[in-house]
């Protein structure tokens, strides 16, 4: 299952994502991973959640992000949650250009029973159709 947290820049999407991750970490039976492109919220994320700053791994672009998420999912079959803060920012593209990433994430989620939660910086009316089904 994919879930989307959306809103314009500065509306608290990252805080909502962190709160959801921390809340789920208490009841999760599997592993959780928090993926972002900076270390600003590193100490806000529960220590039981694996925090990954993609800048440490030179991840830039849509293909690199896709491969990285696949690698995270493949490295351990116990993953229950993957949180991605700023998927469009990490991919370096506008949200409207990310149909491929959403297709791939949907496939990973379904095949591995992983809940993937993403933030998207745009208003609801600006969300592309391929994203709206996850709201």
């Amino acid at each position: 299952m994919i879930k989307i947290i959306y809103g314009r820049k500065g509306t608290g999407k990252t805080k909502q994502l962190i709160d959801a991750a921390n809340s789920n970490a208490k009841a999760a039976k599997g592993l959780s991973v928090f993926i972002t492109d900076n270390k600003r919220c590193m100490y806000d994320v529960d220590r039981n959640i694996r925090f990954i700053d993609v800048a440490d791994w030179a991840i830039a672009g849509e293909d690199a992000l896709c491969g990285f998420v696949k690698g995270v999912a493949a490295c351990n079959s116990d993953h229950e949650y993957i949180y991605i803060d700023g998927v469009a920012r990490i991919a370096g593209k506008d949200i409207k250009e990310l149909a491929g990433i959403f297709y791939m994430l949907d496939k990973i989620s379904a095949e591995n029973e992983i809940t993937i939660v993403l933030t998207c910086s745009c208003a609801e009316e600006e969300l592309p159709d391929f994203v709206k089904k996850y709201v």
Side-chain angles (χ1 to χ4, degrees), residues 107-120:
K107 189 172 179 181
I108 288 173
S109 175
E111 291 175 357
N112 298 288
E113 298 178 13
I114 299 172
T115 300
I116 300 175
V117 186
L118 309 145
T119 61
C120 296

Side-chain angles (χ1 to χ4, degrees), residues 36-44 51-57:
T36 188
D37 63 346
N38 59 63
K39 291 183 175 43
R40 283 185 300 237
C41 60
M42 186 164 118
Y43 297 107
D44 298 328
F51 183 89
I52 301 173
D53 177 357
V54 295
D56 292 341
W57 298 94

Side-chain angles (χ1 to χ4, degrees), residues 6-30:
Y6 63 89
R8 297 197 186 276
K9 185 174 171 114
T11 57
K13 296 175 301 299
T14 299
K15 172 106 173 72
Q16 289 178 42
L17 187 66
I18 292 168
D19 291 346
N22 290 343
S23 176
N24 290 335
K26 294 177 178 118
K29 295 176 184 155

